[in-house]
Amino acid sequence: MITCCNSLNVNSPFLLTNSSQQLKKTMHPYLHQSKLQKRSSDVTTRGMKVAAYYGLKTPPYELDALEPYMSRRTLEVHWGKHHRNYVEGLNKQLSQNDILYGHTLDELLKVTYNNGNPLPEFNNAAQVWNHDFFWESMQPGGGDMPKLGVLQQIEKDFGSFTNFRDKFILASISHFGSGWVWLVLKRQEKRLAVITTSNALSPILWDDIPIICLDLWEHAYYLDYKNDKIEYVNVFMDHLVSWNAALGRMARAECFVNLGEPKIPVA
């Protein structure tokens, strides 16, 4: 049985809403709910209703921590408005559809993609997933060279880090319209690859394992770089990309894909 207290704890997996509404428009930004709960688990206590929805996950750094390469203003608009709108839009859709309750966000993407015939909830769900992954693909003091086994795997699959970097940048600037560029691990081929996806599409729909990604939507860079996407992509590779995050993701990926040598070390 679910119980709740009168005050709202930001670490709680639930959102407290008035009994007359299931979702507050202004969701607490530090609240992250990784799994939806069924509406049957909602309870009413002293006029307050507990309803579980997805929360807006915060980047793993302060909003000004990526300056001067990505400004606080960009994070405030991109994360604080665009990303938040995707979360709120998804929650509004889910509040009207019991069928989709009970899925992790990964599962929700695949279910709503519906084998290439996306349901209305897909775009918001995929944009939430992609943005969470994007923020965690950067770090203050990022860029430079990948480390240890990640560098070795890149050299094995691309010939050199320079070849990989050139391929990543070319894919980014050649992509037409809105979308994403990814470094992924192909499960069947057991190799790394650079791919792009359009609009909200994500590599997990095809069972690829994402390692890093860069948002190519114009709102990701326009405030800092205007229409200079080439500069934005180069700055990402030189100063923002988190090879520490890539190292952890590759270590996890090796639990599912036997890459042989080199082994990705776990700290």
Side-chain angles (χ1 to χ4, degrees):
M1 169 121 6
I2 297 175
T3 59
C4 65
C5 58
N6 292 332
S7 60
L8 175 60
N9 184 334
V10 297
N11 295 316
S12 168
F14 300 107
L15 299 177
L16 294 184
T17 62
N18 293 330
S19 57
S20 61
Q21 64 180 129
Q22 290 187 346
L23 178 64
K24 262 191 177 297
K25 186 174 181 61
T26 55
M27 184 182 300
H28 196 288
Y30 290 91
L31 184 61
H32 176 59
Q33 172 64 16
S34 63
K35 190 165 184 177
L36 293 172
Q37 306 293 322
K38 294 186 179 298
R39 296 179 82 176
S40 60
S41 67
D42 293 357
V43 295
T44 301
T45 303
R46 296 184 180 180
M48 301 297 288
K49 189 163 191 167
V50 179
Y53 297 92
Y54 287 109
L56 179 64
K57 189 175 182 180
T58 55
Y61 35 77
E62 297 297 325
L63 297 188
D64 61 355
L66 302 180
E67 292 185 334
Y69 307 109
M70 185 173 288
S71 67
R72 180 186 182 93
R73 177 59 178 157
T74 288
L75 269 291
E76 288 173 344
V77 172
H78 191 176
W79 172 76
K81 294 185 179 179
H82 290 282
H83 190 175
R84 181 185 295 274
N85 285 342
Y86 295 131
V87 172
E88 292 180 351
L90 175 61
N91 288 334
K92 183 177 180 179
Q93 290 171 315
L94 294 174
S95 70
Q96 302 167 359
N97 190 343
D98 289 344
I99 297 175
L100 295 175
Y101 273 76
H103 294 293
T104 65
L105 193 52
D106 293 46
E107 294 167 345
L108 187 63
L109 258 67
K110 296 177 181 179
V111 170
T112 57
Y113 185 60
N114 195 30
N115 296 316
N117 298 289
L119 303 179
E121 296 81 4
F122 171 74
N123 283 331
N124 280 324
Q127 287 287 46
V128 172
W129 195 100
N130 288 356
H131 278 87
D132 284 344
F133 196 89
F134 171 54
W135 304 128
E136 293 173 1
S137 291
M138 297 184 290
Q139 68 175 65
D144 199 15
M145 296 278 288
K147 302 175 178 64
L148 305 173
V150 174
L151 177 59
Q152 294 174 32
Q153 193 68 45
I154 286 176
E155 291 174 335
K156 176 182 176 181
D157 293 331
F158 294 97
S160 68
F161 176 72
T162 299
N163 287 345
F164 155 73
R165 187 182 186 280
D166 291 345
K167 190 177 182 80
F168 190 92
I169 292 174
L170 180 61
S172 301
I173 63 179
S174 301
H175 182 80
F176 180 76
S178 300
W180 307 79
V181 60
W182 310 78
L183 174 65
V184 301
L185 177 63
K186 295 281 187 179
R187 290 180 189 254
Q188 298 303 317
E189 296 93 332
K190 297 183 179 180
R191 64 176 179 85
L192 293 172
V194 171
I195 67 169
T196 61
T197 59
S198 296
N199 299 320
L201 294 177
S202 171
I204 68 171
L205 299 170
W206 303 287
D207 215 24
D208 292 338
I209 302 176
I211 305 300
I212 60 172
C213 84
L214 175 61
D215 190 341
L216 299 179
W217 285 65
E218 193 174 65
H219 61 241
Y221 59 88
Y222 191 80
L223 288 177
D224 293 328
Y225 300 98
K226 303 305 179 185
N227 63 341
D228 194 347
K229 185 163 71 169
I230 297 176
E231 178 66 12
Y232 165 66
V233 176
N234 275 281
V235 166
F236 173 79
M237 292 302 296
D238 293 340
H239 301 288
L240 293 174
V241 62
S242 176
W243 293 118
N244 291 330
L247 188 67
R249 290 163 175 170
M250 282 291 292
R252 181 180 182 277
E254 280 207 308
C255 297
F256 305 95
V257 180
N258 182 8
L259 295 174
E261 298 295 335
K263 291 290 185 183
I264 308 301
V266 180

